[in-house]
Amino acid sequence: MYITLKNINKIYPNGFHAVHHFNLEIEKGEFVVFVGPSGCGKSTTLRMIAGLESISSGEFLINGERANEKSPREREVAMVFQSYALYPQMTVFDNIAFGLTLQGVDEDIIEERVKKTAQILGLTDYLDRLPRALSGGQRQRVAIGRALIRKVGIFLMDEPLSNLDAKQRVTMRGEIAQIHRETGATTIYVTHDQTEAMTLADRIVVMKDGYIQQVGTPYELYFRPSNVFVAGFIGEPPMNFVRGTIQNSGILFGDQRVDLTGVRPDLAAQEGRSVVFGFRPEAVTLAEQKDASRIDCRVELTEMLGDNTNVYITSGEQQSILKVDSHDTPETDAPLTFFIPWESMYFFDGETEEVL
Ligand code: ATP
C-alpha cells in the first residue's frame, strides 16, 4: 500500500479533538476525495498528511515507511491551496519554475519542465504574463503547475476550486481529472462539494465531526450509503427521509401508509421498531409500476430546471422533494400520485441511523 493512515488522531493544543481514529489505505495513482461539512476535520487530516500539522497519535506510512516525523519535503508531497498563493510580481513561467529554481535545478531542465507542464495545463501562451493578467481559472492552473512540476509522489489539494465561479469550477474540474489521467499522480483532494467528490474521485471518504462515516466509490456511496448522514450528503437534491415506527407491518408517510411486507419482510415483522425510511427524489416514477409503493400527496411548488423539475410535495405533515422529467411537471396546488420502487427504498435504524 502506498499511503497508510492507522488510527490517526488530532488533538489541537487547546484540547480540541478534531480527528478521531482515522484509518485509510491509499494505492499508488488513486484519486481520493475527503468530503464533509465545514469543520469535519478534512483539512486537518490533509495537513497531517502534508506534514504541516503534527499527528497526535497513530501511524502514518508512505511506501510502508513511518513518515510521522518526516518534513513535508522528505514526504515528497506537493500541495495546492484554495488561495492560489502566486507571487504577483513574477511571471507565470517564474511562478511555475519557483520550486525548481529554489532547488538550484539546471536552467535548461527548468525550461523544459516548465514548458511541458504549461502544455499539460494549457498555459503555453501565458508564460510571460503576470498573475493579475489572468482569469481565476488560469491562476489556479498556475498554482497546480507549480505543484505538478515538482514530480512528487503525492499531490494534495485543499478546496482548489472554491475561488472560482460556477462555470470555471466545472471546467477546472474536468481539467483536474484530465491532469490526473495524464500524470497518474496519487491525489488526495479536500472539498465540501459532493458533486466535485462524485465526479473526481476513485474513492470518497465522507467525514463528519472528525469521524469517517464511510469510504467507497461514488457508486457505492450513492447506492449503498451506510447511514443517514451519508445518504443525505451524497445526491442533489438530498434523499428524502421519513421517521416513524413500524406498525401493522408498515410505516406512515404523512397521512399515507407504506406497506413493508413485500419490500422488507424482515422489517415488516419488527412491530414497534423505530426506523428512518429514505428514498431519493430521482428514484420515483409518476407512472404506476410493479413492485413499487403508491403515495398520494399534494404539490406545493415546482421548479423547472431544464431537463428536470423539482417537485415539492406534502403528505400530511411530511414534506419531500421529487425530481421528475420536466415534460411531466405536475400542476401546483393539486393532488399527485407517485410510486417509489421497492429497490430504491432505504431503511435506517431510528436511533443509530445505520443502514438496516
Ligand atoms: P472547512 O471546510 O471549514 O475548512 P474542515 O473539515 O477542513 O472544514 P478543519 O479545518 O480540519 O475542518 O477543522 C476541524 C475542526 O478543528 C474545526 O472544528 C476547527 O475549528 C478545529 N480547528 C482547526 N484548526 C484548529 C487549531 N489550530 N486549534 C484548535 N482547533 C482547530
Side-chain angles (χ1 to χ4, degrees):
M1 204 45 68
Y2 187 42
I3 300 172
T4 305
L5 294 127
K6 257 194 231 165
N7 214 8
I8 298 282
N9 284 275
K10 176 66 188 180
I11 301 169
Y12 278 110
N14 67 356
F16 185 74
H17 200 156
V19 177
H20 299 255
H21 309 295
F22 192 101
N23 284 292
L24 184 68
E25 298 206 312
I26 299 174
E27 278 183 54
K28 208 169 189 120
E30 247 193 309
F31 197 121
V32 172
V33 177
F34 295 171
V35 72
S38 181
C40 70
K42 50 198 190 298
S43 295
T44 300
T45 309
L46 194 75
R47 292 170 61 81
M48 286 193 282
I49 294 171
L52 300 172
E53 200 67 72
S54 66
I55 297 170
S56 306
S57 68
E59 197 165 34
F60 171 54
L61 311 173
I62 301 177
N63 259 332
E65 226 180 89
R66 183 177 162 100
N68 291 47
E69 290 77 24
K70 286 189 175 169
S71 71
R73 185 167 294 262
E74 288 168 328
R75 295 179 193 201
E76 306 217 315
V77 297
M79 186 145 167
V80 179
F81 298 91
Q82 52 179 265
S83 59
Y84 322 126
L86 301 180
Y87 296 101
Q89 75 286 12
M90 286 188 195
T91 62
V92 168
F93 184 102
D94 291 337
N95 264 289
I96 295 177
F98 189 72
L100 300 184
T101 313
L102 215 60
Q103 287 171 34
V105 175
D106 203 79
E107 264 183 35
D108 292 348
I109 296 176
I110 292 184
E111 170 128 11
E112 188 195 315
R113 279 180 45 193
V114 171
K115 287 196 168 151
K116 177 83 191 19
T117 307
Q119 199 185 352
I120 294 176
L121 294 165
L123 288 169
T124 306
D125 295 340
Y126 303 93
L127 287 172
D128 295 332
R129 290 209 196 169
L130 293 176
R132 68 163 178 272
L134 298 176
S135 71
Q138 290 163 338
R139 279 179 215 171
Q140 189 53 285
R141 272 184 260 162
V142 177
I144 292 172
R146 207 168 42 178
L148 263 188
I149 200 166
R150 292 181 44 212
K151 290 195 174 161
V152 295
I154 309 167
F155 206 42
L156 306 174
M157 297 189 169
D158 193 351
E159 304 251 8
L161 308 186
S162 57
N163 286 336
L164 305 180
D165 67 35
K167 207 165 173 181
Q168 285 176 325
R169 224 177 294 154
V170 175
T171 313
M172 226 20 241
R173 206 165 71 199
E175 289 179 11
I176 288 176
Q178 173 86 23
I179 292 165
H180 180 249
R181 272 196 299 276
E182 280 176 24
T183 61
T186 309
T187 307
I188 309 177
Y189 184 107
V190 161
T191 181
H192 61 271
D193 182 323
Q194 61 97 20
T195 313
E196 258 171 50
M198 292 295 276
T199 50
L200 285 170
D202 291 320
R203 277 191 307 151
I204 300 176
V205 179
V206 182
M207 295 181 72
K208 181 191 166 213
D209 298 337
Y211 288 92
I212 293 183
Q213 301 292 308
Q214 189 171 0
V215 181
T217 62
Y219 186 94
E220 284 164 346
L221 295 193
Y222 181 84
F223 287 105
R224 295 198 292 278
S226 60
N227 59 35
V228 168
F229 179 79
V230 175
F233 194 80
I234 302 289
E236 179 54 37
M239 186 183 277
N240 295 297
F241 296 112
V242 184
R243 285 188 174 270
T245 32
I246 296 168
Q247 284 170 342
N248 302 323
S249 306
I251 183 167
L252 285 184
F253 182 107
D255 53 16
Q256 302 284 301
R257 183 173 171 278
V258 178
D259 189 80
L260 299 181
T261 320
V263 195
R264 286 288 297 268
D266 58 327
L267 290 177
Q270 297 183 44
E271 187 73 12
R273 175 162 194 172
S274 110
V275 293
V276 179
F277 159 51
F279 66 98
R280 295 201 181 274
E282 58 274 28
V284 305
T285 60
L286 299 181
E288 180 155 13
Q289 59 166 293
K290 223 171 119 278
D291 295 342
S293 296
R294 172 196 167 116
I295 304 282
D296 294 314
C297 65
R298 194 166 180 83
V299 177
E300 300 293 339
L301 179 78
T302 61
E303 285 175 344
M304 215 287 278
L305 300 168
D307 53 347
N308 298 303
T309 294
N310 287 341
V311 184
Y312 295 78
I313 58 141
T314 54
S315 167
E317 298 279 284
Q318 180 68 39
Q319 301 182 328
S320 307
I321 306 180
L322 316 179
K323 191 170 174 179
V324 303
D325 190 306
S326 55
H327 295 107
D328 301 329
T329 301
E331 266 185 61
T332 312
D333 257 341
L336 178 75
T337 299
F338 69 93
F339 298 84
I340 314 174
W342 291 349
E343 59 179 24
S344 302
M345 291 184 175
Y346 294 85
F347 297 92
F348 306 91
D349 184 272
E351 270 85 53
T352 65
E353 302 199 339
E354 294 296 312
V355 75
L356 294 172

